[in-house]
């Protein structure tokens, strides 16, 4: 669970990190863009104000000396370099002497290329610069003549606000905010991962307990999502395993009981013959033979169930008339039916041939009839009906007995399951008959089922394929 939790946490951490870095970069770029727009608008206002001031001071006269003096004064007050470009594109005046002799060219994108020489003491340095979209404003004299275009250059030797201390402080605060948000998100992710994985841990512990043989191990179901569905499936599996284990233990007891009675009878009778207490008569041999047949039938039933559940039941299929199989099965019970006044009826119209193993299907019919005879009181009725539907025929065996309680219906076809917990011969054997019925019918590709209401008998049904 820790490994899965760590993987979930790392995946969430990676997603949160990518999201925060993306948001931080986009925010930083957006702030810089908006600040640049604000700064540009401020510069436009300032250059327009400087242009108006320059026009008012010059009045109608625009001689070079007054231009230079006025621009130098405006440059000092604005703390910006100012250039006045004439209509012919030449520099008419500048706020600094080295800019007056500079060559200024307007580029195609509206930027300004400046090239000139600046004196640094005794040395002369080459000055080259490109100013991106500098703010500008037209300057006119009082009589409306165009003196030129006033251009405001960035502050000399100073960084833009977002590249200076303000930008560093902003980036630092943005980094702190991103780290804080990331830590909070990671903490919430860790808590959510632990909460999500808590039922997984409970499932793991319950599965380990189940593996150690604790079939009472269950997990609480606290949600209706996939984890809750998995918990319900685990509980259902545990309940099924517990029921199968109970059936297995019961099976051992049932097999021992079923084997004990005939073996005890055989031993007693053989010992009585050996001691001379019982004569070797045809009745004695017949009794011994019946006990041996009972043992053989039990062993055969166990083998049939085992082979059917493994899906390896051998079938010798052939086209057979279902009515012949039904009549043959009923013949085995007519004597006991007459003795107990049971009415045996058949409701079966002309049907196509069925593609089955006649011996196996006869065993199915005998098992169902035997159960019906045991469940039906004296004077009751047992009916067999069959109808063709599509490519199969549906057969049902109904009795007028006491019926079966609803809690027993889902388990009737399990091996060694008996609604009557007693082991009396009169009420049934080891509970293998219906398991054999289910195995044989499903081996033929059919289905089995049962319907019953207490007090209204039971109806067992199965389907078989047509030839």
């Amino acid at each position: 669970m820790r490994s899965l939790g760590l993987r979930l946490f790392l995946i969430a951490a990676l997603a949160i990190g990518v999201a925060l870095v993306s948001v931080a970069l986009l925010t930083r770029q957006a702030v810089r863009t908006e600040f640049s727009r604000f700064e540009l608008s401020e510069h436009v206002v300032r250059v327009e104000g400087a242009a108006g001031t320059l026009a008012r001071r010059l009045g109608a006269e625009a001689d070079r000396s007054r231009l230079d003096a006025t621009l130098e004064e405006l440059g000092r007050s604005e703390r910006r370099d100012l250039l006045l470009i004439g209509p012919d594109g030449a520099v008419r005046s500048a706020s600094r002497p080295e800019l007056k002799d500079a060559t200024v060219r307007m580029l195609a994108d509206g930027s300004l290329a400046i090239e000139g020489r600046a004196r640094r003491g005794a040395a002369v340095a080459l000055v080259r610069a490109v100013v991106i979209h500098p703010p500008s404003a037209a300057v006119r004299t009082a009589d409306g003549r165009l003196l030129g275009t006033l251009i405001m250059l960035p502050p000399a030797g100073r960084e833009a606000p977002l590249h200076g201390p303000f930008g560093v402080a902003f980036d630092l605060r943005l980094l702190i905010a991103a780290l804080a948000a990331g830590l909070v998100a990671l903490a919430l992710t860790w808590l959510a991962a632990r909460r999500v994985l808590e039922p997984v841990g409970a499932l793991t512990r319950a599965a380990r307990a189940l593996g150690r043989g604790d079939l009472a191990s269950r997990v609480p179901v606290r949600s209706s999502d996939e984890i809750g569905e998995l918990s319900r499936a685990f509980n259902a599996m545990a309940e099924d395993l517990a029921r199968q284990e109970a059936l297995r233990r019961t099976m051992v007891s049932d097999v021992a009981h079923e084997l004990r009675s005939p073996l005890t009878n055989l031993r007693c009778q053989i010992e009585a013959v050996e001691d001379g207490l019982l004569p070797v008569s045809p009745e004695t041999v017949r009794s011994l033979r019946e006990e041996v047949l009972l043992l053989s039938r039990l062993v055969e039933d166990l083998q049939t169930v085992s082979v059917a559940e493994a899906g390896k039941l051998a079938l010798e299929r052939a086209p057979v008339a279902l009515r012949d199989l039904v009549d043959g099965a009923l013949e085995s019970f007519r004597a006991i039916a007459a003795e107990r006044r049971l009415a045996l009826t058949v409701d079966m119209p002309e049907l196509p041939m069925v593609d089955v193993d006649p011996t196996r299907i006869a065993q199915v019919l005998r098992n169902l009839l035997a159960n019906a005879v045991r469940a039906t009181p004296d004077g009751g009725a047992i009916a067999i009906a069959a109808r063709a539907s599509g490519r199969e025929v549906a057969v049902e065996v109904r009795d007028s007995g006491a019926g079966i309680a609803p809690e027993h219906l889902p388990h009737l076809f399990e091996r060694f399951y008996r609604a009557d917990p007693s082991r009396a011969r009169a009420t049934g054997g080891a509970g293998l008959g219906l398991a054999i019925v289910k195995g044989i019918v499903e081996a033929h590709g059919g289905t089995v089922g049962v319907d019953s209401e207490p007090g209204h008998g039971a109806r067992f049904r199965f389907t078989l394929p047509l030839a």
Side-chain angles (χ1 to χ4, degrees), residues 16 66 96 144 158 194 211 225 238 337 340 353 362 374 413 438 453:
I16 291 170
R66 290 192 63 187
R96 285 195 296 139
R158 293 177 56 192
R194 289 191 60 182
D225 55 9
R340 296 178 52 194
M353 306 286 277
R374 282 193 294 266
F413 294 97
K438 182 175 185 290
E453 292 183 12

Side-chain angles (χ1 to χ4, degrees), residues 26 28 55 73 76 133 150 228 246 257-258 279 282 284 297 315 323 325 333 337 372 411 415 437 440 462:
L26 291 175
R28 185 173 183 267
E73 183 181 351
R76 287 193 299 270
H133 308 302
L150 184 63
H257 177 86
E258 293 297 321
T284 302
R297 186 166 62 250
L315 300 176
R323 182 59 185 260
L325 298 179
F333 295 92
H411 312 296
R415 56 182 177 178
V437 168
I440 292 176
F462 63 94

Side-chain angles (χ1 to χ4, degrees), residues 56-116:
R56 287 194 303 272
R57 291 187 179 181
L58 292 177
E61 300 180 8
D63 59 86
R64 181 65 179 264
S65 60
R66 290 192 63 187
L67 274 174
D68 293 343
T70 305
L71 277 180
E72 289 179 6
E73 183 181 351
L74 287 175
R76 287 193 299 270
S77 64
E78 295 290 340
R79 297 182 180 179
R80 299 287 191 277
D81 287 332
L82 299 173
L83 285 174
L84 182 63
I85 308 299
D88 57 355
V91 178
R92 296 195 60 182
S93 181
S95 59
R96 285 195 296 139
E98 55 265 31
L99 294 175
K100 296 176 182 178
D101 300 327
T103 301
V104 179
R105 292 181 295 107
M106 293 294 294
L107 303 180
D109 61 354
S111 300
L112 198 66
I114 303 173
E115 183 175 348

Side-chain angles (χ1 to χ4, degrees), residues 28 48 69 76 97 144 151 165 170 175 182 195 206 216 229 339 353 435 451 457:
R28 185 173 183 267
E48 289 177 349
R76 287 193 299 270
I151 296 176
F170 174 78
L175 177 62
R195 184 171 181 83
E229 185 64 26
E339 179 183 348
M353 306 286 277
D451 296 319

